[in-house]
Amino acid sequence: MDMLKEDLNREINRIKEKLEKSTAMNEEDLKMVLLSMLLEEDLHEGN
Amino acid sequence: MKATNNSRIPEPQVKVPTLAILQLTRFGDLIQTTQAIEDLKKSHPDYRVILIARSQFAKPLEFLLKRFFTKIYYLDTKKIFENSEVQGLKASHDSLNVFLGDLSQESIDVLINLSFSKSSAYLASLIQSEHKIGTFFDYSNKMQINDKWSQVVFSTVMRGALNPYSIVDLFKNIIGIRSTEAKSAPAVTARTNTIIVHPFASQERKAWRAEKWVEVIYRVLKENDSCTIQIVGAKNEVLKSQLITENPLLKTFGHRIQNMTGKTSLAELSMELKKAKLFVGHDSMVGHLAAVNNTPTLTVSLGSVRPYETTPYHSNAYNLAPRTKCFPCFPSDACSYNQCHHDIPYQIVSASIKQLLEQKEISSDWIKANVSSFHMSSVNFYKAKIVKGSLHLDSLIDNHQDSTDIFRSLYRVAWSFVVNDTEENLPFPKLNNNSHRDLLAALTGLQHLFELSEFGKKYSRFILEEISSQTPSINRIKEYSKKIDEIDQLQALVQKTSPQLAPVIDYLAVRKANLYGDSVVKLTESSYYAFEECGNLCSILFELIENTIAEHKLTAGKLGPQNKQV
């Protein structure tokens, strides 16, 4: 799970940088954000 | 000579519309979604209605969901993340792609997101559909809400206790179901003399401690010789259930208490509810499941529960709520004492259970005659009724309607008129000194809001006129836009002095954040209409408050000599 978290954090930081530069996201970026949200919700539910 | 055409002209194929309902939240929301879809299926039996839901909540409810949905797509996060420890992000990404690939085989006409969570909004943005209703994100990571009912939900349900609608009715409004028919009375079924009790809730602040339930159960079993009690709950509630069943006070009644906690599937629980005479518990999915089975329900609402939103959706529902000043709170509010838990005496619950077990109604007269006024002094007691296809809560206590209750009624009339273009006829609320004062204060706030909306319209119009002039001045357009920004800020300030107007102010903010159009002209037109709608809402609320105050004065004998005589 840690590996996934690390991968996702890296992706989210990349997307944040993109948005800061006013560059639009693409479908793949949306998927990364969705995965990160779902993982967060799953961990929350597990607690 | 005769020409015969033996080949039949094929009849044009009418495409069956496909609606996709996105509901990623928990059991209770899923059950309430089916209650909304039940009405949709009545008016449009030919529609293909598919459901996109999370496996962990939808699978246990499959027995119910299958009755209403043509197909169910399960978002299985366990599966999505199962190989991630070894393969990292790639495995999850591939798994998500498989799920989205399956969905892309559907030709979805309208995707309706009923979940209002961020994850559902991101998922909605990834699903191909002709039209989208509810929240979704655009490529600049901005949340979009284009339909008005979802905007109402976002500006009222998410932010306070002034929402007048049941969740099922909000779902129906978002989907666009306008059923006016009265719900047919359920067929009378033979039921066992069993009460199903679910004394737990998703959060501690929403449920009484075990001792209080012990008192209720003890009294009920003592006063009703032939009834039995089934305690139900999830596997993680077994220990809590034992605190009740193993209490020494209930020792003599052990043979009449069945502890089913953690032992039933939801399908089995649903069957038990169908046979039971009554369901009693806190706000949870069990109450909604009881409503689906037409089993009378008595809910004890505590903590952050809002009875107007969450009362089980059927006409056989009663709801007890405390009159505690801070009720209903927000889940994030700090609370160490849970005053609301103490404000509902267990005696009211046991007396009401006795009345309902005898299959009699609970009315204002019955309360006056059978419950001590001392016990009722800190309680609100509601009975649900379904009028013109929507749920209303009638207060069974005559003299208590606080300002929030009154504003909720006024908002119900105003939203129906402005958003649905329909009229709701509700009786005039009864005012006391405090609510009278609050209504008068709101008149001033509404006046300010109305004037600001008029200014908003004026400056939106100036921008349009400037653009359409022969020599448009960018500076002037900027100046007018700045004025509109100032108006937005001033409207937000009104909320500080008139907190009861928050839904109007928030609604305008949500509308303004979702202006439509791809040019300055279209966006400005959209802004004009948003201000106009805000102005209309203010006018309607102003008129309703004026009439309410006039009625109050009339009944209080303050108007006209003939009333003084009475």
Side-chain angles (χ1 to χ4, degrees), chain A residues 1 3-4 7-8 11 19 24-28 30-35 37-39 41-42 45, chain B residues 26 54 57 77 80-81 84-86 88-89 92-93 97 100 118-119 122-123 125-126 139-141:
Chain A
M1 206 54 82
M3 190 177 164
L4 174 66
D7 286 352
L8 273 172
E11 283 298 312
L19 287 167
M25 294 200 293
N26 56 33
E27 211 166 276
E28 289 305 307
L30 285 169
K31 283 178 196 170
M32 292 303 154
V33 182
L34 173 61
L35 282 172
M37 296 265 160
L38 291 174
L39 181 66
E41 282 173 12
D42 261 22
E45 304 261 329
Chain B
R26 304 173 70 91
R54 293 180 77 161
F57 304 123
T77 45
I80 287 177
F81 297 124
S84 58
E85 271 189 53
V86 190
L89 183 56
S92 304
H93 181 258
N97 274 342
L100 291 170
K118 271 191 169 182
S119 56
Y122 279 109
L123 180 55
S125 61
L126 287 162
Y139 285 126
S140 58
N141 204 33

Side-chain angles (χ1 to χ4, degrees), chain B residues 63 263-275:
Chain B
F63 70 97
K263 291 178 188 163
T264 56
S265 67
L266 289 185
E268 287 161 346
L269 176 59
S270 183
M271 289 303 290
E272 291 299 322
L273 284 162
K274 201 171 192 164
K275 289 187 283 180

